[in-house]
Amino acid sequence: MQRVEVQLGQRSYPIDIDTGFAALPASLASARQVVIISNPTVAPLYLDQVSALFSAPPLHILINDGEAFKTLASFETILSFLLENSMSRDVVLVALGGGVIGDLTGFVAACYQRGVRFLQIPTTLLSQVDSSVGGKTAVNHPLGKNMIGAFKQPEQVIISTATLTTLPSREFAAGMAEVVKYALLGDAAFLDWLLKHSEQICQQQPETLAQMIRHCCQMKADIVSRDETEQGERALLNLGHTFGHAIEAFMGYGNWLHGEAVAVGMVMAAELSAHRGWLSKQDVASVRRILQSFGLPVAVPDQMQIANFMPFMKTDKKVKDGQMRFVLLSAIGQASLVADVTEAELLQVFG
Ligand code: NAD
Ligand code: GLY
């Protein structure tokens, strides 16, 4: 087993990465009330194994599968289930699934009786390298992605790389977008490593995957430890997300996977960076190439013009004092938050 620590004082927690589900500490395993939140795709695969981690048999509730169900309605369904089953403030919630289940469960954990403990057991590559770590929780609103949420750190993150064996290849590729994101925003050497190991990654060689996941979790843990609530540096983790969230919302939640939209968003961020002279054309081409090598899209959906992005980008959570802010690349492996991108510049680059 490999362990990465998220250092947040009293709210610090471990991320355990193993080939199976690592054992829980007694304080969690012996919880009197446990509710596992999952969906009808993941539960038949892993609910029994995860239930067995607890000494008392947990209850469970399944939410319909998909981004379209990361909503206030699902949030309310879970709250009602907890109340109907007389769950107290001691309850431990367990998110068993991908980022949708993780974000939704975390938001319930932040709100139920003003906050209860929760565990992240991420089962997609994307959730293992990104969404289960760092305490961002949210649901979507028709007018914007992740617009309603809270910061709520889990007690522990338990990653079993064996869960990736059942993940559809399109979902695996979507997770690779977030992996490439870490390399582009802060670690050029990791980009070289990814290129060198792309065959083993695509073949899902277990040791290579564990090493890659650990590296991403360590990068995220370090950033979150320095800037938990995104006052500065953490915003860099949104590379590609301003454009990407607009694609997800415009195309209808669930039609484009989050990782696919982020992949195109990163290409757009690279193009904007090149327009400013920070990246070369070759750099942009290599961003495209690495994303394509992992089976990801790199072109804006045919249905979208830059005008379609604008309403979503203007309500992005990075907007400050009415000004849109973008994460751009000052070099491959070096990102920065930029506050002077105008609509005119966007039109010039993408119009
Ligand atoms: P997802 O949760 O929709 O999971 C993708 C699909 O894979 C679903 O159909 C799911 O049922 C299925 N699945 C999950 N595990 C499986 C397994 N082991 N085997 C077979 N099928 C499996 O999508 P995702 O990509 O995991 O997460 C995307 C979400 O994460 C988005 O809502 C995004 O906004 C959010 N996100 C949050 C953060 C954060 O910091 N909180 C960061 C990045 C992304
Ligand atoms: N995925 C962006 C963040 O956690 O900050």
Side-chain angles (χ1 to χ4, degrees):
M1 190 193 55
Q2 306 192 52
R3 176 167 278 197
V4 172
E5 296 275 352
V6 183
Q7 304 287 356
L8 287 168
Q10 287 191 328
R11 286 171 296 104
S12 297
Y13 55 94
I15 305 165
D16 287 343
I17 305 159
D18 210 339
T19 48
F21 297 109
L24 294 173
S27 61
L28 289 167
S30 64
R32 209 175 46 87
Q33 295 187 321
V34 178
V35 177
I36 300 175
I37 298 158
S38 191
N39 72 27
T41 310
V42 177
L45 299 167
Y46 303 112
L47 185 63
D48 288 349
Q49 283 177 63
V50 169
S51 297
L53 298 174
F54 298 91
S55 36
L59 296 181
H60 68 267
I61 173 169
L62 305 188
I63 298 300
N64 287 339
D65 188 0
E67 185 72 37
F69 297 97
K70 198 174 115 176
T71 56
L72 276 175
S74 302
F75 171 78
E76 195 177 348
T77 302
I78 301 169
L79 292 176
S80 301
F81 179 87
L82 298 177
L83 288 166
E84 282 157 13
N85 287 282
S86 308
M87 291 297 127
S88 68
R89 288 187 68 198
D90 299 330
V91 68
V92 174
L93 304 184
V94 180
L96 173 63
V100 167
I101 289 293
D103 281 13
L104 181 60
T105 303
F107 187 40
V108 173
C111 298
Y112 186 65
Q113 301 197 12
R114 300 203 183 91
V116 296
R117 294 188 292 168
F118 89 113
L119 277 180
Q120 288 274 15
I121 308 196
T123 60
T124 61
L125 179 60
L126 184 141
S127 56
Q128 295 182 354
V129 297
D130 191 355
S131 65
S132 64
V133 175
K136 277 190 181 176
T137 75
V139 294
N140 299 327
H141 187 280
L143 295 180
K145 173 111 175 126
N146 293 335
M147 278 295 148
I148 307 155
F151 285 98
K152 169 76 179 169
Q153 300 295 341
E155 297 290 304
Q156 190 156 345
V157 181
I158 297 183
I159 297 175
S160 163
T161 54
T163 58
L164 300 179
T165 56
T166 56
L167 193 66
S169 53
R170 185 178 168 200
E171 297 291 350
F172 185 85
M176 284 308 298
E178 301 282 9
V179 173
V180 171
K181 175 192 81 176
Y182 287 107
L184 292 178
L185 75 87
D187 192 345
F190 184 45
L191 195 72
D192 293 339
W193 186 91
L194 289 173
L195 286 167
K196 209 165 136 206
H197 292 84
S198 65
E199 213 175 298
Q200 290 100 311
I201 293 167
C202 291
Q203 290 164 355
Q204 301 198 18
Q205 207 265 326
E207 289 82 40
T208 309
L209 290 190
Q211 202 179 339
M212 178 180 87
I213 293 166
R214 200 203 69 75
H215 190 85
C216 296
C217 287
Q218 187 69 62
M219 278 186 79
K220 181 146 185 189
D222 290 346
I223 293 173
V224 168
S225 298
R226 290 190 293 264
D227 180 21
E228 181 183 11
T229 57
E230 198 167 308
Q231 302 307 305
E233 184 187 6
R234 185 167 179 169
L236 303 184
L237 290 171
N238 289 317
L239 174 64
H241 285 56
T242 310
F243 297 113
H245 284 168
I247 295 174
E248 280 185 275
F250 182 84
M251 297 303 286
Y253 293 123
N255 290 323
W256 270 59
L257 300 183
H258 176 73
E260 294 171 341
V262 167
V264 173
M266 289 192 290
V267 173
M268 294 176 81
E271 283 169 343
L272 194 48
S273 308
H275 174 77
R276 291 182 161 217
W278 299 344
L279 292 187
S280 65
K281 281 201 165 63
Q282 290 89 323
D283 288 333
V284 180
S286 63
V287 170
R288 274 204 198 89
R289 227 178 2 257
I290 184 152
L291 292 167
Q292 281 174 317
S293 75
F294 292 118
L296 286 159
V298 293
V300 172
D302 290 343
Q303 299 90 319
M304 285 187 84
Q305 311 294 321
I306 189 63
N308 303 125
F309 285 78
M310 296 312 301
F312 298 103
M313 298 199 302
K314 283 178 178 167
T315 55
D316 182 77
K317 289 187 289 315
K318 285 184 296 306
V319 169
K320 201 171 173 202
D321 302 328
Q323 172 65 49
M324 289 184 292
R325 298 189 300 165
F326 289 82
V327 182
L328 298 186
L329 294 171
S330 30
I332 295 288
Q334 200 178 320
S336 53
L337 189 60
V338 175
D340 62 352
V341 176
T342 59
E343 231 171 301
E345 185 178 5
L346 290 168
L347 268 172
Q348 207 182 340
V349 181
F350 304 111

